[in-house]
Amino acid sequence: MADQGKSEAGAVSSSKKAKAKAKEKSKAKKDSQLILRLDKEERDAFVELCKELDTSAAREIRGFIRKFLKKNSA
């Protein structure tokens, strides 16, 4: 039974390490900004909806850009 606890702790530790590496890798890539002018009510509604959906506005916009580029690139 004690061995099971050790293996579970090892799995949690490995998972944390993998997440930390992925976070470092994604942070390294993001070195530019895109500034947009939006209507305040529209921006606020978008940010609020993202919160309700447990995501971020930046994540959704980055996803849109990736999909747009993939769809429209030669």
Side-chain angles (χ1 to χ4, degrees), residues 17-53:
K17 287 179 184 177
K19 286 181 183 179
K21 280 187 177 182
K23 194 172 185 179
E24 285 176 23
K25 186 176 179 182
S26 76
K27 279 188 178 181
K29 291 182 183 180
K30 298 171 191 149
D31 60 357
S32 297
Q33 293 182 341
L34 177 66
I35 299 173
L36 306 168
R37 296 199 184 276
L38 303 169
D39 178 73
K40 182 175 177 5
E41 290 83 21
E42 191 173 40
R43 180 245 182 233
D44 291 347
F46 179 69
V47 170
E48 185 59 33
L49 181 57
C50 287
K51 285 180 185 178
E52 290 173 16
L53 297 173

